[in-house]
Amino acid sequence: MKSVTLNNGVVMPAMGFGVYQVPASETERVVSDALETGYRLIDTAASYFNEEQVGNAIRHSGLRREELFVTTKLWVQDYEYDDALRAFDLSMRRLGLDYLDLYLLHKPYGNYYAAWRATERLYHEGRIRAIGVTSFSSERLQDLFLHNEVKPAVNQLETHPFFQQRAANDFLRHEGIAHQAWAPFAEGQNAIFTNPLLKAIGDRHGKTVGQVILRWLNQRGVAVIPKSVHKERMAENINIFDFTLTDREMDEIGSLDTGRSPIYDDMDLGTVRGIGTYKIHD
C-alpha cells in the first residue's frame, strides 16, 4: 500500500512525514530533507507553530504543488464557526498555499460541530480537497458524521504496537474512513526501539525496528506519518516496501498490544481539561 484513495476519490500517500515537536528553527531544513528523500505528504498543525517554515520548505523545494499532499489541523481554541474560518485563512497564509489537501479537527473537544460545519463550507468552496479529524473515538466520530453532510475522510489516531486500535481500525474500514497513525513509534515509550520481538523480526528481514513497525502498520492498511530530524533515518523510514511480514510475524506483533496509550489517557479528566483549554494564541 503506497497510497490510499479517500472516500471522496482523493489519493493520499500512505507514507507521510510529520513535524510534531520539530522546533520552528529546524523545520525548514527538516522538511526540505524529507522532500529530497522522497516524502510527498507533509503533516503539520496550527498548534505545532511551524506552518510558516513548512511553507518555506515547500516553496524552495522546486516541486510542483500538485506533487505534494499537505495536511494541517485546526486547534480546539478556534472551533467556533467564524473562528474556524479565520484560523484556516491564517494557516493558509503561513503555509503560503492556495489550497490545502487535508484539514483535520485536531482534538474531539469543544464545539467541534461548529468547526466541522466550517470545514464543510471550505471543502465545498474547493479550498480543501479532503477534511477529517484527529483522535476521535469511534462513537464520537460516528455521531459527527450521522448529523452532518460530509463524512470525514481520515481519522488520525495514536496507533503503534502497544496501542493497536483494532476495534477502531475495523470501524474505520467498515465506514470507508482512512486510518492514519500518529506516534507510530509510541514516542519512544516502553523501550520500543529495543523491543526483543521487534528486533528479532527486523534481523530476519535485514530491517530496523522502525521499519518493521511502519511495515506492520502498512500491511494493516494504516497510513503513517513518522517524524525524524535525521536525513538517514528519514530514508530508512520510507524504505519499507521491499519486504513483507509473514502472517505469523503480524500475529507476533499483535501480541504486544496493551489496549491503552503509553503517552496519555484521553479519558483522564485532567488531560481532557488541559487539552480542551490549551490556547495557542491570545
Side-chain angles (χ1 to χ4, degrees):
M1 183 183 73
K2 293 190 178 183
S3 65
V4 179
T5 300
L6 303 180
N7 56 21
N8 65 350
V10 168
V11 177
M12 179 181 78
M15 169 70 73
F17 186 80
V19 296
Y20 175 57
Q21 293 182 331
V22 177
S25 60
E26 288 287 301
T27 300
E28 184 173 349
R29 189 269 303 172
V30 167
V31 173
S32 295
D33 284 348
L35 294 172
E36 288 177 7
T37 303
Y39 293 86
R40 292 296 179 263
L41 187 161
I42 305 297
D43 178 281
T44 184
S47 65
Y48 299 169
F49 304 107
N50 55 20
E51 290 174 310
E52 182 177 352
Q53 291 74 25
V54 168
N56 290 340
I58 290 171
R59 280 193 301 280
H60 297 150
S61 70
L63 295 166
R64 290 176 291 113
R65 174 66 183 92
E66 58 268 27
E67 295 180 68
L68 300 174
F69 192 102
V70 183
T71 301
T72 194
K73 308 178 191 78
L74 177 68
W75 187 246
V76 178
Q77 182 182 359
D78 293 312
Y79 274 13
E80 296 301 328
Y81 187 89
D82 289 338
D83 292 341
L85 297 176
R86 283 191 291 268
F88 175 79
D89 285 340
L90 181 57
S91 285
M92 296 299 283
R93 287 198 296 273
R94 287 172 174 157
L95 289 164
L97 300 178
D98 295 326
Y99 69 90
L100 190 67
D101 296 285
L102 179 63
Y103 200 38
L104 303 177
L105 305 191
H106 205 153
K107 293 293 178 182
Y109 309 123
N111 193 1
Y112 55 82
Y113 268 77
W116 186 252
R117 287 166 183 162
T119 63
E120 286 182 322
R121 171 179 165 177
L122 295 165
Y123 173 72
H124 287 309
E125 289 175 350
R127 302 186 68 192
I128 310 170
R129 299 177 67 218
I131 55 178
V133 299
T134 303
S135 300
F136 271 60
S137 62
S138 295
E139 64 273 12
R140 288 202 178 196
L141 179 57
Q142 178 174 259
D143 184 64
L144 181 69
F145 70 68
L146 286 177
H147 300 288
N148 286 285
E149 181 184 352
V150 180
K151 196 172 194 178
V154 174
N155 189 12
Q156 201 179 89
L157 293 169
E158 177 191 347
T159 314
H160 47 73
F162 305 130
F163 192 32
Q164 298 186 11
Q165 302 277 16
R166 294 177 189 172
N169 183 263
D170 288 344
F171 171 75
L172 294 172
R173 189 185 300 271
H174 178 264
E175 293 294 338
I177 299 171
H179 180 174
Q180 190 177 51
W182 64 262
F185 302 138
E187 296 186 354
Q189 298 295 313
N190 297 357
I192 194 168
F193 291 112
T194 56
N195 181 273
L197 172 62
L198 297 173
K199 191 172 186 309
I201 293 173
D203 289 344
R204 288 200 291 271
H205 292 277
K207 293 292 183 178
T208 67
V209 167
Q211 288 170 317
V212 168
I213 293 168
L214 294 175
R215 185 58 172 155
W216 167 76
L217 286 163
N218 181 263
Q219 287 183 216
R220 292 180 64 209
V222 179
V224 292
I225 46 170
K227 177 204 76 176
S228 177
V229 298
H230 304 291
K231 197 170 184 179
E232 63 275 13
R233 187 64 54 79
M234 296 177 196
E236 281 183 6
N237 289 343
I238 206 170
N239 183 26
I240 65 166
F241 299 105
D242 60 350
F243 75 108
T244 302
L245 298 172
T246 66
D247 290 344
R248 179 175 178 178
E249 288 168 337
M250 293 290 288
D251 290 342
E252 287 174 337
I253 297 172
S255 71
L256 298 176
D257 193 12
T258 67
R260 63 181 184 273
S261 169
I263 299 172
Y264 72 86
D265 179 4
D266 61 9
M267 298 298 288
D268 175 74
L269 294 179
T271 298
V272 174
R273 178 182 292 274
I275 293 174
T277 59
Y278 177 66
K279 297 188 182 304
I280 64 172
H281 59 77
D282 294 334

